[in-house]
Amino acid sequence: MADTVSVPTPRPGAPAGRRRSPQARPHVRRDHRAALFFILPALLGFGVFYLWPTIRGVYLSFTDYSLLTPPAWSGVANYTKLIGDASFWRSLAVTLEYVVINIGVQTIVAIALAVLMHRLTRSSFLRGVLLLPYLVANVVVALVWYWMADYTLGVVNQFLGWIGFGPLGFFGEEHLVIPTIALVNVWRHMGYTALLIFAGLQAIPRSLYEAAAVDGSTEWRSFWRITLPLLRPVLAMVLVITVIGSFQIFDTVAVTTQGGPADASKVVYYYIFEKAFSQFDFGYASAMGVALIVILAGVSLFQLRLLRAGESDLS
Amino acid sequence: MTAVSMPATKTRAAAPAERRGRRVRIGRIAAWAVLWLFVLITLFPFYWMLRTSLSNNRMLFSDPSSWLPVAPTLGGYERVFGLATLQEAQAQGGSGASIRFWLYLRNSVIVAAVITVGQVFFSAMAAYAFARLRWPGRDKVFFLFLTALMVPPIFIHLPNFELMKNLGLLNTFAGIVLPYLFMTPFAVFFLRQFFLNVSREVEEAAMIDGAGYPRIFFRLILPMSAAPIATLAILTYINSWNEYFWPLLVTDPTNDDVRVLTVALGLFKSQTPQGSPDWAGLMAATLVAALPVLLLFAAFGKRIVNSIQFSGLK
């Protein structure tokens, strides 16, 4: 690992950095020594707990490994198994359903909230209140909604009763469980996402809105003609961040349904967790992890292309 | 605001302007209503937590939609903190099983505090090296740090678990804390942005006075960046307090010596008897678990909001 993260020691003799005036040299060398001192703890932590596990994980994905005996090289066996594993594809489909509902609803709500805040008020109190759910642990959020959506005593079903709907088994029915978990996490993340978008909105000059209003444009038209086009680069970044996060849904599932009922909420993360820590199939779990990285990278690239994130219309 | 009232002051045809003015006013009222609706949706579950935690669990079913606690009692909190006797607990619908809530609370405090101090300090050092010092490979290493943000945590957790197992650190504080103690890419990135903006002149003046880099860092950079460092510390504390996955992996369900609150809450739910869970006790526990974050938010809300807006910009 040390070879890949070139340790910045000043090598005497070797041409250290740029060759400039000779007087500058001692200074540069002092720089290097100080740099090593400052970067060392973080570099150590990064090497041991981020870089090495990543490399090790890729290696393990080509092995048969149960933690008890040393990993045995098995070539691409895990990957061929992966392609034929219906449970894996099912978990991927479940995750995708979750991501689509979660991101779809969350993005629309967050844009609406951000625009409303932007056009109505600068109150940071209001922004803070909307951010509150994001600061509370996933576990807490999951438990509160599990209680509120309880079939017999949950307040959500009481509300539904008042407007004439029968009680729903939000966490207990196969076709409802993923939408339910997706919406619970919309509740947790909508204020956070709105805040990121709000930051982007502040970069749009107010004069544009004033000019549009003088020309008789309505708020509604200004939103579609000014706000949304100019927000595109920010929106692209926010989407990439939130989609990556959304794919990693685990806590809510682990605390409430444990993948049930009948695997209806067994998302990829939970499936990997189960393979690794219930069945101790570390090789196969690592292979699924690699697949997840590839999928995430692909989805992110696709989004950035589609939304032309690099370009701005503001110029 | 000014933009909206503009058309009315422009002297066009008076009547349509007035009509539009009224429409704008109605539109604004509707917009405010929507915004407050979302505030309500945001706050309601917190209220419901409180309302349930103060109810008598046995009586919850009698009035599930009551706005106020049902048969108000502090029993839920007494059960959580182990102050209720077995008979009292069971009379109110608790299981009566002893849970070492104080221990989990203490463990969470220790874990979050140690991670916060270590991570913020070491990340600040690294951020200084990235922002201010010149050394070969600096930009490459920084890029490498950032790409680590793309790797899903579960992928890294597998070999890290293996490592902790081999080191015999499962079920220890060290096992929970170590991976987060030295840095996270976000913390380094966040502080680097601030250090880049610290004026170089002050630093050079100190250097002429003979101060070395460590002295400059501890005496100058750290005090001058107290605000962003405090913000990062608050965010780190909240994140560590809320972390569930990694502490779940490295602690055994049968050994609760170093179990943190989030993991305990997850188990608390699965251990309650099917059919009649102790909702009041569970909500009391979740509220206590959320309390430090709520307090931090009450004290530093504005700072937290600004930092997240900042991370949205960069």
Side-chain angles (χ1 to χ4, degrees), chain A residues 31-32 34-35 38 41 49 53 56 65 127-129 135 137 147 158 187 196 202 213-214 219 255-256 269 282 293, chain B residues 3-4 12 41-42 52 61 64 122 125 134-135 152-154 156 158-160 162 213 242 269 279 293 297 309 312:
Chain A
D31 247 35
H32 290 180
F38 279 107
F49 297 112
R56 174 89 178 154
Y65 186 34
R127 271 176 278 154
V129 167
L135 302 175
W147 156 232
Q158 303 295 324
W187 178 79
L196 296 180
Q202 288 189 314
V214 170
E219 284 282 329
V255 172
T256 58
Y269 239 64
F282 261 53
I293 294 178
Chain B
V4 180
R12 289 197 188 164
I41 294 173
T42 300
T52 309
F61 73 93
F122 294 132
M125 284 175 66
R134 266 165 296 159
W135 42 282
I154 195 174
I156 292 174
L158 298 179
N160 275 342
E162 184 197 19
Y213 284 114
N242 290 344
K269 192 233 123 203
W279 292 116
V293 171
F297 177 79
Q309 254 172 258

Side-chain angles (χ1 to χ4, degrees), chain B residues 20 53 85 118 257:
Chain B
R20 184 182 301 150
S53 70
T85 63
D257 290 344

Side-chain angles (χ1 to χ4, degrees), chain A residues 269-283:
Chain A
Y269 239 64
Y270 198 81
Y271 188 49
I272 298 177
F273 164 75
E274 232 180 36
K275 276 283 172 220
F277 294 99
S278 302
Q279 301 165 23
F280 293 100
D281 195 347
F282 261 53

Side-chain angles (χ1 to χ4, degrees), chain B residues 6-14 17:
Chain B
M6 269 295 218
T9 56
K10 288 275 169 194
T11 48
R12 289 197 188 164

Side-chain angles (χ1 to χ4, degrees), chain A residues 197-250:
Chain A
I197 295 172
F198 181 82
L201 286 176
Q202 288 189 314
I204 302 176
R206 280 189 184 257
S207 58
L208 282 178
Y209 292 100
E210 282 155 25
V214 170
D215 288 345
S217 169
T218 59
E219 284 282 329
W220 185 247
R221 258 172 76 100
S222 296
F223 171 74
W224 290 102
R225 296 288 174 82
I226 303 174
T227 310
L228 218 48
L230 290 181
L231 201 57
R232 206 200 52 233
V234 173
L235 214 52
M237 283 325 293
V238 169
L239 270 172
V240 169
I241 296 170
T242 52
V243 166
I244 289 179
S246 189
F247 262 97
Q248 295 171 11
I249 167 74
F250 174 82

Side-chain angles (χ1 to χ4, degrees), chain B residues 80-81 99-106 261 265 284-285 288-289:
Chain B
V80 165
F81 287 112
I99 37 162
R100 303 205 279 167
F101 195 82
W102 283 112
L103 179 74
Y104 309 145
L105 197 65
R106 187 207 70 175
L261 213 43
L265 281 176
V288 174

Side-chain angles (χ1 to χ4, degrees), chain B:
Chain B
M1 283 139 268
T2 46
V4 180
S5 55
M6 269 295 218
T9 56
K10 288 275 169 194
T11 48
R12 289 197 188 164
E18 196 173 299
R19 202 178 309 141
R20 184 182 301 150
R22 190 171 306 142
R23 214 168 49 205
V24 165
R25 229 171 299 140
I26 293 171
R28 278 178 68 84
I29 292 169
W32 270 112
V34 173
L35 199 54
W36 279 105
L37 179 71
F38 275 103
V39 170
L40 201 70
I41 294 173
T42 300
L43 290 180
F44 181 76
F46 291 102
Y47 174 71
W48 209 247
M49 246 194 273
L50 185 67
R51 171 261 186 208
T52 309
S53 70
L54 293 172
S55 298
N56 182 330
N57 197 57
R58 268 282 145 79
M59 303 305 288
L60 271 177
F61 73 93
S62 66
D63 194 356
S65 55
S66 158
W67 283 90
L68 295 171
V70 187
T73 167
L74 287 173
Y77 293 91
E78 285 168 5
R79 289 198 292 287
V80 165
F81 287 112
L83 300 173
T85 63
L86 185 63
Q87 288 85 343
E88 280 170 357
Q90 285 175 341
Q92 289 197 8
S95 69
S98 75
I99 37 162
R100 303 205 279 167
F101 195 82
W102 283 112
L103 179 74
Y104 309 145
L105 197 65
R106 187 207 70 175
N107 290 347
S108 271
V109 169
I110 292 175
V111 165
V114 171
I115 288 179
T116 302
V117 171
Q119 191 186 111
V120 171
F121 180 70
F122 294 132
S123 295
M125 284 175 66
Y128 180 65
F130 282 121
R132 274 299 200 262
L133 303 172
R134 266 165 296 159
W135 42 282
R138 182 183 69 177
D139 296 342
K140 279 186 195 121
V141 174
F142 187 64
F143 180 73
L144 207 61
F145 273 29
L146 287 189
T147 50
L149 285 171
M150 290 293 294
V151 181
I154 195 174
F155 187 66
I156 292 174
H157 285 343
L158 298 179
N160 275 342
F161 174 83
E162 184 197 19
L163 180 69
M164 293 308 166
K165 187 173 179 291
N166 291 341
L167 293 175
L169 291 178
L170 296 183
N171 292 312
T172 65
F173 280 122
I176 300 177
V177 159
L178 271 177
Y180 300 101
L181 191 63
F182 299 101
M183 58 96 62
T184 62
F186 172 77
V188 175
F189 178 75
F190 184 88
L191 287 179
R192 176 180 169 268
Q193 293 303 107
F194 284 100
F195 291 168
L196 283 172
N197 292 328
V198 173
S199 136
R200 259 183 201 282
E201 281 151 31
V202 191
E203 218 178 324
E204 273 156 19
M207 211 173 278
I208 289 167
D209 289 345
Y213 284 114
R215 209 182 147 84
I216 290 174
F217 176 72
F218 287 107
R219 293 288 174 81
L220 226 64
I221 300 287
L222 284 188
M224 282 171 82
S225 313
I229 287 175
T231 306
L232 181 68
I234 295 165
L235 290 179
T236 309
Y237 195 88
I238 291 176
N239 277 335
S240 324
W241 183 268
N242 290 344
E243 174 72 21
Y244 173 68
F245 199 9
W246 178 248
L248 174 75
L249 294 186
V250 288
T251 54
D252 211 291
T254 56
N255 176 347
D256 66 354
D257 290 344
V258 295
R259 183 178 296 162
V260 294
L261 213 43
T262 46
V263 176
L265 281 176
L267 287 171
F268 193 38
K269 192 233 123 203
S270 62
Q271 280 169 354
T272 49
Q274 283 298 317
S276 59
D278 179 6
W279 292 116
L282 187 57
M283 287 303 111
T286 52
L287 203 61
V288 174
L291 205 60
V293 171
L294 297 180
L295 291 178
L296 277 175
F297 177 79
F300 305 108
K302 197 166 182 178
R303 183 169 274 191
I304 296 172
V305 168
N306 287 339
S307 72
I308 287 178
Q309 254 172 258
F310 165 82
S311 70
L313 277 179
K314 251 297 137 207

